[in-house]
Amino acid sequence: MKKVLVLNGSPRPNGNTVAMIKEFVRGAEEGGNIVNVCDVARMNIHPCVGCLGGNAQNTSSPCCQKDDMDTVYKYYNECDVVVFATPLYFWNFNAQTKAVIDRLFATMEGESPDPSVPAYVYYLQHKEACLMMPAEEESDANFQLINHYWDGFCERMDYTNYGKLLIGNLMEVGDVKQKPEALEAAYKFGRTIK
Ligand SMILES: Cc1cc2nc3c(=O)[nH]c(=O)nc-3n(C[C@H](O)[C@H](O)[C@H](O)COP(=O)(O)O)c2cc1C
């Protein structure tokens, strides 16, 4: 049994990301895992202001900005698996998701108890990480940048790259319903969490 945090970055409540998340969660819960979904696009989460004043030792509220990130920090600290579920915007995570990622910096800031290791390394939290992403275009070129970023991101964050589901030909709300193999893949992805 694992604790899973899904960060839903889509601003469309009935969009393709949400439909994929529902199937992923169904699979993960059937496998006996505990899943929490944070709809970060609808939460009050401000972008990082770059103050460099975060304090990782204050685990429940490491950031200087006090907003709904405190809810995300709680589930993030507890989880074994973190799922970044976001539409592809300009070949990358969307801004709502990127704001959360930037704010995770606060969990890696402050004084390192080991002077030979910088805080941003010392406070890394090992997790398994998944990426789920719908997009309009289905081509290798469309996913090239996010694939590259994702691999480096996982490595630098000390995440085990658990896998990704990048699905094209999804543009309008509801498109995913015409693509049952995408929902099936999301369900099976969730089912692999153990
Ligand atoms: C601002 C914006 C940028 C986008 N950029 C891309 C892109 O670079 N490549 C692509 O294939 N689709 C792109 N899309 C399409 C979305 O990824 C697609 O509509 C996706 O299914 C939206 O997911 P949602 O229904 O969960 O909101 C973009 C959409 C928007 C609104």
Side-chain angles (χ1 to χ4, degrees), residues 100-147:
V100 171
I101 292 171
D102 289 350
R103 296 283 302 280
L104 289 179
F105 191 51
T107 68
M108 302 147 66
E109 280 186 291
E111 212 155 294
S112 169
D114 178 349
S116 68
V117 181
Y120 70 86
V121 174
Y122 184 89
Y123 290 111
L124 283 173
Q125 297 186 37
H126 176 71
K127 297 186 188 297
E128 290 169 336
C130 306
L131 176 64
M132 278 208 301
M133 181 173 268
E136 177 184 18
E137 189 184 305
E138 191 159 66
S139 69
D140 288 349
N142 192 39
F143 293 119
Q144 187 186 1
L145 293 174
I146 189 64
N147 271 320

Side-chain angles (χ1 to χ4, degrees), residues 10 12 15-17 87-91 135-137 142 170-171:
S10 173
R12 302 202 288 194
N16 300 309
T17 308
L88 185 69
Y89 278 9
F90 284 85
W91 312 284
E136 177 184 18
E137 189 184 305
N142 192 39
L170 301 175
M171 183 59 173

Side-chain angles (χ1 to χ4, degrees), residues 7-48:
L7 299 169
N8 168 29
S10 173
R12 302 202 288 194
N14 299 309
N16 300 309
T17 308
V18 167
M20 288 164 66
I21 289 171
K22 280 185 184 153
E23 286 305 293
F24 177 92
V25 170
R26 190 166 69 85
E29 287 183 340
E30 276 181 21
N33 302 290
I34 296 172
V35 186
N36 287 293
V37 180
C38 286
D39 291 326
V40 299
R42 271 170 293 287
M43 292 166 75
N44 177 33
I45 295 177
H46 294 260
C48 175

